[in-house]
C-alpha cells in the first residue's frame, strides 16, 4: 500500500520511521511519502492560509497550494487514490473503516490546520479519486496530523504481512463488535491479586466461554451503544 501525507508539519510523521510501520516501510509493505504543503506555494512567504470569505474568526487554508499538491501526487499515482481529509465534520472512523481502507492500493491523507481547508479542495480532489472526510471522534483537534497518524496506524497494521501473527488481529476490540476480554500473564499471583482460575484450568472450552462472557459484560458496561442492532 502506498500512503501519501500532505501537511505543513512533515516532521510530525518522522515517528513512522520507527515501530511496526517503520519495519513495514523497510520491507516494502508500506510506501509512505510525506509532503510539505508549503513546497507547493508560490509566494516568498510560502503562505498557506488566508481570511475567510463571509468573515468570522481564524484562517482558512488556501486552495492553490492544495491543488498543486494533489496534482503532483495524482500525476505519479499508479492507481486511483482515495483522499482522506481528517475532519471533526467527517464520517466516524471505526475499525470497519480501517479494515476497508487496508484493502486499498493508495491512500492520500490531507491534513488541515486552522479553521479548515477551502471547500473547493474537496470538490477538486473528487475529480482525481475517492474523497472521504473522516473523524476520529466528537472532539476538536488543532489539525489533522494527530488524526491522520492514528488512522495510518489503524489501517497500516491491517495490511497483510505488517503484523507478524495475523491471528493477533482477530481477537481485538471492535473486530467482532465487542470489546476485548481481559488479559493476564505470569505471575499467577501479584501483589495479592490472582489470575482467574478458569485461565489456569487448561480447559479451552471453558476459557473461550469465560472470555466471551467477559466481552459481553464489558461491552454492556462501557459501550452499550455497540450492543444495539
Ligand atoms: N476528529 C477530529 C478531527 C479533527 C481535525 C482535523 C483537522 C483539523 S481538526 N478534530 N477532531
Amino acid at each position: 500500500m502506498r500512503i501519501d501525507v500532505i501537511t505543513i508539519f512533515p516532521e510530525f510523521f518522522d515517528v513512522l520511521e520507527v515501530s511496526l510501520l517503520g519495519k513495514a516501510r523497510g520491507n516494502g509493505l508500506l510506501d509512505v511519502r510525506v509532503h510539505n504543503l508549503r513546497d507547493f506555494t508560490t509566494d516568498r512567504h510560502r503562505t498557506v492560509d488566508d481570511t475567510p470569505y463571509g468573515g468570522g474568526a481564524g484562517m482558512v487554508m488556501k486552495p492553490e497550494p492544495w491543488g498543486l499538491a494533489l496534482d503532483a501526487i495524482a500525476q505519479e499515482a499508479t492507481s486511483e487514490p482515495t483522499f482522506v481529509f481528517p475532519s471533526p465534520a467527517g464520517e466516524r472512523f471505526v475499525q470497519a473503516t480501517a479494515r476497508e481502507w487496508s484493502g486499498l492500493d493508495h491512500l492520500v491523507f490531507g491534513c488541515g490546520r486552522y479553521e479548515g481547508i477551502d471547500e473547493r479542495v474537496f470538490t477538486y480532489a473528487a475529480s482525481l479519486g475517492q474523497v472521504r472526510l473522516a473523524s476520529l471522534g466528537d472532539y476538536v483537534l488543532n489539525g489533522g496530523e494527530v488524526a491522520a497518524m492514528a488512522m495510518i496506524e489503524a489501517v497500516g497494521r491491517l495490511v497483510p504481512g505488517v503484523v507478524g501473527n495475523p491471528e493477533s488481529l482477530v481477537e481485538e476490540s471492535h473486530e467482532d463488535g465487542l470489546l476485548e476480554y481481559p488479559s493476564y500473564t505470569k505471575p499467577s499471583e501479584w501483589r495479592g491479586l490472582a489470575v482467574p482460575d478458569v485461565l489456569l484450568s487448561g480447559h479451552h472450552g471453558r476459557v473461550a466461554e469465560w472470555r466471551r462472557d467477559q466481552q459481553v459484560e464489558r461491552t454492556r458496561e462501557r459501550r452499550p451503544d455497540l450492543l444495539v442492532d
Side-chain angles (χ1 to χ4, degrees), residues 85-90 110-116 134-145 147 151:
F85 294 93
S87 166
C111 300
R113 304 294 301 183
Y114 310 111
E115 304 312 311
S135 166
L136 269 193
D138 296 335
Y139 43 83
V140 182
L141 303 167
N142 280 333
E145 283 80 9
M151 294 175 191

Side-chain angles (χ1 to χ4, degrees), residues 18-142:
V18 298
S19 81
L20 190 71
L21 296 191
K23 199 167 136 230
R25 293 179 77 172
N27 59 31
L29 282 170
L30 293 176
D31 172 10
V32 181
R33 307 181 196 190
V34 183
H35 310 268
N36 186 339
L37 183 65
R38 293 195 192 277
D39 292 345
F40 298 93
T41 59
T42 53
D43 64 310
R44 196 156 57 91
H45 299 293
R46 293 163 62 85
T47 310
V48 292
D49 65 316
D50 204 335
T51 53
Y53 277 121
M59 303 288 270
V60 174
M61 296 190 98
K62 295 167 58 61
E64 299 97 323
W66 280 101
L68 294 172
L70 293 174
D71 285 344
I73 291 168
Q75 265 154 18
E76 56 171 0
T78 53
S79 59
E80 183 185 271
T82 294
F83 298 95
V84 178
F85 294 93
S87 166
E91 65 184 90
R92 274 304 299 279
F93 177 83
V94 293
Q95 188 65 15
T97 323
R99 189 156 292 285
E100 176 199 345
W101 293 359
S102 68
L104 297 174
D105 292 329
H106 190 180
L107 284 175
V108 181
F109 286 88
C111 300
R113 304 294 301 183
Y114 310 111
E115 304 312 311
I117 303 171
D118 186 297
E119 191 68 17
R120 291 168 290 180
V121 172
F122 308 132
T123 306
Y124 180 68
S127 72
L128 302 174
Q130 297 295 312
V131 175
R132 307 283 285 269
L133 270 65
S135 166
L136 269 193
D138 296 335
Y139 43 83
V140 182
L141 303 167
N142 280 333

Side-chain angles (χ1 to χ4, degrees), residues 187-210:
S188 63
E189 175 141 350
W190 173 70
R191 296 191 179 188
L193 300 169
V195 169
D197 289 338
V198 64
L199 298 180
L200 308 175
S201 69
H203 195 297
H204 301 301
R206 287 200 200 124
V207 170
E209 185 184 5
W210 179 85

